Amino acid sequence: MRVLVLADGQPPRKRRVLLHLRRADQFLLTDGAARTARRWGLVPRAVIGDLDSYRGDFDGQAEVIRDPDQETNDLEKALAWALGQGAREVVVLGATGRRLDHTLKNLSVLRRFHPHFARIWMEDEDHRIELVRSGQELYFEGPVGLPVSLFPLSGRAEGIWTEGLRWALRGESLENGVRDGSSNEISSSPVRVGLERGDLLVLITHPERVGLRWRGPREPELR
């Protein structure tokens, strides 16, 4: 099952939401995104969160699920609910922008859920954000010169191998505050990014111009 989640960061353009809606089996909102969806005339399957900013926009039209747990944010609540419904692929829009602390928290949520329970990625108007974990490989295609950045999510990522990027890594490490992989670019397609240990964010600009797929000795483990 494919699920689209709209979170309460910087709203994406409506056309991006509609593009993913055509491919989704379910559409979920964190409660702060309800006003954006209502403005666009889009009705979700459910609205999920602590409901501190929900104003009853979809009462009677969608399931409204209140989870008051203060140890998890609204995106975590929405993803947990989606996975409980059997989601196997989730795209999250509106997870970046506005507050930097919320953006960083939402990026860390990828590590909790992906890939052991589902394939999850994020998009905004500038990037597609994928997480590669220990023993995995990500392959994607895009035009030569398209910027790609690599950032360790867990502080340090080791044994990174790339193909198809202008500045290749050959079993090397990246570490926050020491060495990062920002502002690389595609030199040939397909691009391969894999690593032995750690968690690595792959940020690909202009998400509408790339095609992605997983392959490698350890596929994302779906339970």
Side-chain angles (χ1 to χ4, degrees):
M1 182 174 68
R2 297 178 179 176
V3 175
L4 171 62
V5 177
L6 181 61
D8 189 30
Q10 182 64 37
R13 294 179 182 176
K14 183 179 179 180
R15 62 174 176 77
R16 187 172 300 281
V17 178
L18 294 177
L19 172 67
H20 286 289
L21 269 178
R22 289 197 292 269
R23 304 169 181 169
D25 300 301
Q26 286 193 6
F27 176 40
L28 309 179
L29 302 176
T30 64
D31 61 60
R35 284 166 291 181
T36 298
R38 170 62 74 188
R39 185 170 70 248
W40 290 339
L42 303 176
V43 179
R45 162 71 175 80
V47 180
I48 304 167
D50 57 15
L51 304 187
D52 61 342
S53 57
Y54 181 65
R55 299 295 178 264
D57 300 88
F58 295 102
D59 288 355
Q61 296 179 286
E63 188 171 356
V64 179
I65 301 167
R66 181 176 182 270
D67 183 345
D69 179 20
Q70 294 302 302
E71 296 300 318
T72 57
N73 71 1
D74 288 343
L75 178 57
E76 288 176 282
K77 295 174 173 65
L79 290 175
W81 191 85
L83 298 175
Q85 299 295 304
R88 283 292 180 267
E89 186 173 277
V90 184
V91 57
V92 181
L93 305 180
T96 62
R98 289 184 172 166
R99 286 182 53 174
L100 179 58
D101 56 341
H102 287 180
T103 296
L104 292 173
K105 169 63 175 177
N106 287 339
L107 291 174
S108 74
V109 167
L110 286 174
R111 188 172 185 269
R112 175 182 174 187
F113 291 104
H114 171 85
H116 298 293
F117 301 101
R119 171 85 187 286
I120 302 171
W121 74 91
M122 297 178 178
E123 279 188 23
D124 57 28
E125 292 306 308
D126 299 308
H127 301 95
R128 176 159 176 161
I129 305 168
E130 292 270 355
L131 178 63
V132 184
R133 306 201 68 186
S134 299
Q136 295 179 341
E137 295 179 335
L138 176 68
Y139 284 68
F140 58 93
E141 299 175 351
V144 171
L146 192 74
V148 176
S149 292
L150 310 177
F151 285 100
L153 181 59
S154 53
R156 180 178 174 88
E158 301 175 337
I160 303 169
W161 291 84
T162 67
E163 296 174 2
L165 294 181
R166 181 178 178 185
W167 294 281
L169 296 173
R170 297 288 182 259
E172 299 167 60
S173 297
L174 296 176
E175 184 174 0
N176 292 335
V178 178
R179 183 193 186 199
D180 64 44
S182 62
S183 299
N184 212 323
E185 61 185 46
I186 294 176
S187 59
S188 64
S189 285
V191 176
R192 171 208 173 207
V193 179
L195 78 159
E196 296 175 1
R197 290 176 299 279
D199 302 292
L200 188 67
L201 289 172
V202 181
L203 286 74
I204 309 161
T205 61
H206 308 300
E208 66 280 355
R209 300 177 65 187
V210 298
L212 292 98
R213 65 184 185 276
W214 282 94
R215 194 172 74 190
R218 286 180 54 188
E219 297 284 347
E221 181 181 354
L222 301 182
R223 298 175 179 173

